[in-house]
Amino acid sequence: MVADAATPQILAVVPARGGSKSIPRKNLRRFAGHPLLAFSIAAGLQSRSVSRVLVSTEDPEIAEVAKAYGAEVPFLRPLELAQDDTPDLPVFHHVLKELADREGYLPQVVVQLRPTSPIRPRDCVDQAVELLVSHPDADSVRGVVPSAQNPYKMWRIQPSGSLQPLLDDVPEGYNRPRQLLPPTFWQTGHVDAIWARTILEGASMSGRVIWPLILDPAYTVDIDTLSDWERAERLAYGRTLEMVWPGAAPRPLPPTVRMLVLDFDGVLTDNRVWVDGEGREAVLADRGDGMGIARLKEAGVEVVVLSTESDPVVAARCAKLGIPARQNLSDKGSTLETLLKEKRLDAAEVVYLGNDVNDLGCFPLVGCAVAVADAVPEVLRQADLILHRPGGRGAVRELCELLIERGRSST
């Protein structure tokens, strides 16, 4: 059903196919603790103007994850529309036709939210829609950023082998200072807002009259490779940008940290255990973690271990590191609450590092909850920060260095 012009129906579509050659299963891979496509779903759901959020996919697993994060998946995309070389237009034609045939639903505006641009300003979707609605003569709105490299200084190689400027409307633009060249912009994948008629009647995802939504280039992310992924994830965890997050936004590392609380197994160890014929246990630890703890203690931060284990290996390792350990705990959360009272610490100045479900009770009790890279999925979903290193393989050292650097930058 089409709403009246005063309250147009805005449909956000997240195209998320299952195949990806550069990063296999890219749309389901965890980015900052959530499946990549969850950030685009959240951008639609958190928008004031969007009426519905739909994921277009041919993949049943993606469909289930999308539904879990609040999107609609009323039908699957045909396989022939989920190939490497499939353009956007037939995919969006399919979405609009299926909605019309099944429900008699036709939105006036379609918003495209590509999963490969997960770092979005919180208001960019609403800005794009408002810009389009306020310019009814426009066919679409496209998110752009100032181009990092000016195309007036770019070239093509002719069949003869000689160079020819890419743009020639400015005489010898390639010889001019950058400041004297016309400003140029690069399109991003953050948001496109398109009149449905542009897609259905104009057979285009943009039309001829395209208005720009100029975004802060700090948000420029387009994930095609693993190096793109790592850079974008570092940017997300840097907490320097106000961006859309699935659910509640993660809490940053506190500017002042008085205590670091560690789980033992899976954090100071790699979660494996060696058992000899007499039942004696041994674990694998990282010497670099010990150096990180020593440096953090020198910076004035107390370090404590909370463990459900009763094995003496925990006490022995902690004694070697010179840090106290509380063992054989059935409820880490209540122990942590008692510890904070005993130490008279502000919980906002405490950081907790864990890896398994028995750590989750401690997460809301501290200023920032951190997970090792190989933590269980439930922990990854609820952590404020996910480290790059796994437990027992330098994760503690990584966090210690972050806290030391954080302390320096806040002074």
Side-chain angles (χ1 to χ4, degrees):
M1 306 271 275
V2 179
D4 62 82
T7 56
Q9 285 287 300
I10 316 294
L11 173 68
V13 177
V14 179
R17 66 187 184 92
S20 174
K21 291 182 178 178
S22 59
I23 305 176
R25 306 295 285 166
K26 175 170 60 180
N27 288 310
L28 290 179
R29 183 184 173 100
R30 292 202 167 272
F31 177 87
H34 297 273
L36 182 64
L37 84 164
F39 287 81
S40 295
I41 293 171
L45 292 175
Q46 294 173 23
S47 163
R48 299 187 312 272
S49 52
V50 167
S51 311
R52 300 175 67 175
V53 179
L54 183 147
V55 168
S56 170
T57 185
E58 88 294 358
D59 188 289
E61 185 181 2
I62 287 179
E64 290 307 308
V65 171
K67 291 175 186 176
Y69 275 89
E72 299 180 46
V73 191
F75 45 80
L76 292 179
R77 191 196 308 182
L79 288 175
E80 60 268 23
L81 296 182
Q83 303 304 308
D84 290 341
D85 57 354
T86 302
D88 292 331
L89 184 60
V91 173
F92 280 72
H93 262 299
H94 172 258
V95 168
L96 293 175
K97 182 178 185 303
E98 287 294 319
L99 289 173
D101 291 347
R102 292 167 181 257
E103 306 176 20
Y105 176 84
L106 178 62
Q108 282 128 320
V109 175
V110 178
V111 173
Q112 177 167 205
L113 298 171
R114 295 176 179 85
T116 48
S117 294
I119 299 180
R120 289 183 177 86
R122 291 180 182 172
D123 60 351
C124 75
V125 173
D126 290 323
Q127 284 193 46
V129 170
E130 290 167 10
L131 189 58
L132 182 65
V133 171
S134 64
H135 294 86
D137 57 325
D139 295 313
S140 67
V141 167
R142 175 157 290 182
V144 297
V145 295
S147 54
Q149 301 294 329
N150 196 299
Y152 281 95
K153 294 183 178 291
M154 295 182 182
W155 302 83
R156 286 182 291 210
I157 298 179
Q158 297 289 82
S160 65
S162 65
L163 289 174
Q164 179 173 345
L166 181 66
L167 302 175
D168 57 9
D169 57 307
V170 174
E172 293 198 10
Y174 44 85
N175 286 332
R176 297 189 178 210
R178 175 181 53 82
Q179 294 84 351
L180 298 181
L181 293 172
T184 58
F185 298 86
W186 179 69
Q187 67 182 32
T188 73
H190 291 99
V191 62
D192 296 333
I194 313 136
W195 291 112
R197 63 174 182 263
T198 300
I199 299 172
L200 296 173
E201 300 169 18
S204 173
M205 289 299 294
S206 59
R208 294 182 177 274
V209 182
I210 308 168
W211 277 79
L213 175 63
I214 301 176
L215 300 169
D216 185 337
Y219 290 87
T220 304
V221 163
D222 188 18
I223 298 176
D224 286 322
T225 66
L226 284 175
S227 60
D228 294 337
W229 189 289
E230 291 169 2
R231 185 182 72 84
E233 206 165 33
R234 286 196 298 271
L235 181 61
Y237 281 141
R239 308 293 192 267
T240 58
L241 298 175
E242 291 290 328
M243 60 175 279
V244 174
W245 283 90
R251 298 166 296 176
L253 287 171
T256 300
V257 176
R258 303 296 183 191
M259 176 180 284
L260 171 61
V261 182
L262 305 172
D263 179 30
F264 187 78
D265 287 322
V267 171
L268 279 165
T269 79
D270 68 352
N271 220 22
R272 293 181 295 171
V273 60
W274 283 263
V275 184
D276 67 16
E278 298 179 2
R280 290 174 298 199
E281 295 187 358
V283 297
L284 180 68
D286 191 301
R287 288 188 181 276
D289 288 348
M291 178 61 73
I293 289 172
R295 296 187 68 230
L296 191 63
K297 289 170 61 182
E298 287 176 4
V301 179
E302 190 171 354
V303 182
V304 177
V305 165
L306 300 183
S307 176
T308 57
E309 286 293 325
S310 58
D311 194 276
V313 71
V314 177
R317 180 58 182 161
C318 291
K320 174 75 173 179
L321 297 174
I323 57 177
R326 302 195 180 192
Q327 292 184 246
N328 198 24
L329 305 177
S330 58
D331 183 354
K332 289 186 179 180
S334 61
T335 301
L336 179 56
E337 287 181 314
T338 300
L339 178 64
L340 297 181
K341 290 178 182 177
E342 290 175 356
K343 299 286 184 178
R344 296 182 179 180
L345 289 172
D346 182 351
E349 297 180 336
V350 177
V351 172
Y352 188 94
L353 176 59
N355 77 304
D356 215 328
V357 292
N358 58 2
D359 297 309
L360 292 176
C362 297
F363 278 18
L365 304 178
V366 296
C368 184
V370 186
V372 296
D374 57 343
V376 300
E378 294 92 332
V379 171
L380 293 174
R381 279 196 291 270
Q382 297 186 45
D384 298 303
L385 172 64
I386 300 172
L387 300 172
H388 293 284
R389 304 291 298 175
R393 297 285 186 175
V396 173
R397 176 66 178 269
E398 179 184 347
L399 180 55
C400 288
E401 296 298 337
L402 288 174
L403 294 178
I404 292 168
E405 184 59 33
R406 184 80 167 176
R408 288 173 182 160
S409 63
S410 65
T411 56

